[in-house]
Amino acid sequence: MDLAMEEAIAAAARDEVPVGAVVSRGSTVIAQAGNRTRELNDPTAHAEMLAIRQACRRLGTERLTGCDLTVTLEPCPMCAGAISFARIGRLYFATDDPKGGAVENGVRYFSSPTCHHAPEIYSGIQQSRSTALLQGFFAAKR
Amino acid sequence: MDLAMEEAIAAAARDEVPVGAVVSRGSTVIAQAGNRTRELNDPTAHAEMLAIRQACRRLGTERLTGCDLTVTLEPCPMCAGAISFARIGRLYFATDDPKGGAVENGVRYFSSPTCHHAPEIYSGIQQSRSTALLQGFFAAKR
């Protein structure tokens, strides 16, 4: 989660919503990314999506079986879909997102009968740190 | 929808699940793509995602306000999320997908309180043609 937080802090420095994500297998980091939707003009360029795509490129596969994803914010439906399709084993996230999340909030995709692979879910890790980062970012915007 | 069908047929010829998508504004095609998850080793490379990303690149924006998306299959949660984030105006799709769809099936994302932009939805367009294409593809696989 420390590495995901570093990616989130780097995203904020680029004036992007501060979210960071890491794909790992055991103790090996396979990919890491921060949110780049503005920089890339790409609404799909959430940290999780970039990290999953990077990991798939590196491993030469579209299935990240045995890999875990660590992210500083509860994934949205788009990212939850990608996590499922990529067969991520464990999902670790920091802050929950009542407005846009799709794991413990919103559509709770991983509990839906149309979700065909759900990761194990661990939430609340370094929650206050991620929340402070997000709140600080949005407060500075106002 | 004819152009989206052509993209779906081209996807099948590449041994990809036959789904095609087109982003248009009025009568102008901005982007078109077929599914390339296997070719690109990218579980996020659904036709809709590729078409949306291509359209954003072409227009130099992360919001496709005033643009419509036409796709041969009901979008999944990942693509529905991207459609919402991209501010697609109208969504036209052919076949519904009870197993994996997220518009009229599954989590029905656009009807969720955590969906902050929903397109107008038009379904069933050239449905039998897309269904036949998908069924033929999967029958040949078995």
Side-chain angles (χ1 to χ4, degrees), chain B residues 87-127:
Chain B
R87 305 290 193 275
I88 291 287
R90 295 188 195 94
L91 167 65
Y92 302 93
F93 71 86
T95 303
D96 65 321
D97 183 3
K99 283 189 188 163
V103 179
E104 296 182 342
N105 290 285
V107 300
R108 292 175 173 78
Y109 174 56
F110 298 129
S111 307
S112 156
T114 56
C115 174
H116 307 298
H117 168 87
E120 291 174 29
I121 298 162
Y122 303 88
S123 62
I125 301 151
Q126 297 195 26
Q127 176 158 7

Side-chain angles (χ1 to χ4, degrees), chain B residues 52 55 69 78 84 98 137:
Chain B
I52 287 171
L69 181 80
M78 176 178 73
S84 177
F137 179 83

Side-chain angles (χ1 to χ4, degrees), chain A residues 11 26 30 46 61 75 80 92 108 116 133 136:
Chain A
I30 311 286
H46 286 189
T61 172
Y92 303 93
R108 292 175 173 78
H116 307 297
L133 189 58

